Amino acid sequence: MARRSEGLSDRHKKIMTFLTKFQEDNGYSPSIREIGDSIAVKSTSLVDYYLNQLEEMKFISREGRVSRSIRVLKPYLPATAKVSNALRQVGRSLEDLIAIPRLGVIQAGQPIPIPASDLAYFDSESGVEIARSLLPSREKVSDLFALEVQGDSMIDASINDGDIVILRQAQEAANGEMVAVWLVDRDETTLKYFYREQDTIRLQPANPQYAPIIVDNPKALRIMGKVVMVIRQVPTVAG
Amino acid sequence: MARRSEGLSDRHKKIMTFLTKFQEDNGYSPSIREIGDSIAVKSTSLVDYYLNQLEEMKFISREGRVSRSIRVLKPYLPATAKVSNALRQVGRSLEDLIAIPRLGVIQAGQPIPIPASDLAYFDSESGVEIARSLLPSREKVSDLFALEVQGDSMIDASINDGDIVILRQAQEAANGEMVAVWLVDRDETTLKYFYREQDTIRLQPANPQYAPIIVDNPKALRIMGKVVMVIRQVPTVAG
DNA sequence: ATAATACACGAACATGTGTCCTATGTCAAG
DNA sequence: CTTGACATAGGACACATGTTCGTGTATTAT
C-alpha cells in the first residue's frame, strides 16, 4: 500500500468514488460496513479511520452517531456528481419526461477544449427534454447528461455535426463502446470509440479520415460517460 | 383529522414537506422518529403507516431495513421558490410532450401502408413521445409520424438499423431532402435522399455500397414524408 | 346495533450501525 | 535493535432505527 502519499491515497479515492456513486444510485449514504465491503476491508474501525481522514481533509462531512449521514463535499468526480445532483431534483420529480442537462458542446473532430469546470454548471433552460419511454428502462435518470456535437469525426458512427448525444455517466468502458473522454493533458473533451490495448488506450474516431488518439498513461484521460442515445434534427430545405 | 381525503391528507403533506426540507438541509434522510417529532406523533408505527401509504402512492421510495433510506420521488413543497420553480418547469414540460404515432417499421422489402386515413388512429402505447422543445417550432404536430428503421442502406446518412425516424407528412420534396417514399411497383417503403433529375427521380441511399434507385415514371413513387429527426438508442455493452 | 375500516398509541424486538478498544504487522528513523 | 508512526484486523458495545404486535378509538357501512 502506498504510504505517506500526500493528498488522497488509492483507498481514499476508492472510497470517494464509491460514496459518490452509491449516493447517486441509491439516494442515500452507505453504512460503514458497506463502504468496507466496497474496498474489501473487513474491519469497521479501519473504514472509520479513513472516513475521519477524509473528513479532516474536508472531502466529506458527517453527523456524529447518525447512520448514513455522510455528505460528499468534494465529489471525486466533480463535474458529473454535481450535475447528477441537479438532475435528481428535476428528473426524479417526473415520470414521463426527463430533463437532461445539456452541458455544452463536444467537439468530435478536432477536439476543442471543454474545460472540466464548464461541466459544473448547468442551466435548466438549456436542458434537453426526453421522453422516458425512449430510454432503456434501466437507465438511471440521474446519470444522464447531454452534449451537442461539433465536428464530423464520428460520421461513420452515425453521429454528425449538430447532433445531440445523451450520455450516461461512467468511469469505465468496455472495448468498442462509444464514450466521451476528458483528455487531461489537453484539457479537452472528445467523443470516441474506446479500446483498451496492452499498455495504452486507443481512442478511435469512427471516421477513417481521422487518426486515432493513443494514450499511454491511463491517468491522462477520464471517461465522462457512455453514449446511450443520439438525437439528430434533420434540416429540411423548405419549410 | 381529515379522513377519507383522497390524495394527500394534511399529515401526508406535512411529512412530504419535512422530508424535502430535511434532505435539503442535511443531505440525508430523517429517521422514522425524527419524522414523528416533526408531526407531533409519538409512535413510530404510525409514521411507518404513513410512510407506507406515501410509498404506495409513489411519493417516496425506501429500502427495507435500511436506515434513512427514504427517497423523495415527487417533492412536495409549494412554498419554496426553488421547488415551485422546478414544478413550473415540470408542468411546462408536460404540456410540451408530444405523442407521435409510430406507424411501423420501414425496411426494404416490407411495405408500410401510410395512407392518410391511417394517421387518424394510433394507439398511444405504440407512440413515440417527444419533447416539443426538441422539434423545430414550426412543425405541426399533427403532421408528424414515426417509423422504426430496419436495414442499413442509410448508414452514411447517420441513420442505422433500429433508429427511430420522425417524419413530417409531405407529398413533395426538394432536392437533397431525406424522404420516406413508397415505391408502387415494388410495393414497399424506403428511406432515401431525394433528387429530381431531367425526366427521372433518383433515390439515393447515402451508403455508397448501395446503388441508387432510378424511377422514370413519377407516378411509380409516392413521397410519404420528410425526415425531420432521427433518434438512435445506442446499446451499451455492459449495463 | 354490529361489523368493518381507518386512524392512533405504545412498547417490545431484532438488528442495523457508529464508536472505540485492543492486538498485530510494517516500515523508516534513531 | 528499538521505537514510534502508520496501516490493518477483529470485535465488543451502546444505541439508533426499522419492524411488528397488541390494543384502543373513532367513523362509516350494513
Side-chain angles (χ1 to χ4, degrees), chain B residues 1 11 42-46 49-50 67:
Chain B
M1 282 312 115
R11 281 261 166 95
K42 300 287 201 303
S43 107
T44 57
S45 56
L46 186 54
Y49 172 70
Y50 286 126
S67 332

Side-chain angles (χ1 to χ4, degrees), chain A residues 149-202:
Chain A
V149 176
Q150 281 183 10
D152 59 353
S153 76
M154 296 299 280
I155 273 190
D156 281 1
S158 301
I159 297 182
N160 272 18
D161 191 18
D163 288 1
I164 293 169
V165 292
I166 312 281
L167 301 103
R168 188 180 71 246
Q169 278 184 247
Q171 286 76 54
E172 296 178 2
N175 276 355
E177 286 189 320
M178 197 188 303
V179 296
V181 291
W182 177 43
L183 300 171
V184 177
D185 302 345
R186 316 189 190 189
D187 195 27
E188 62 190 33
T189 304
T190 183
L191 209 60
K192 293 285 183 293
Y193 280 112
F194 179 88
Y195 291 97
R196 169 166 271 121
E197 303 182 329
Q198 293 94 305
D199 296 325
T200 61
I201 288 166
R202 177 164 51 91

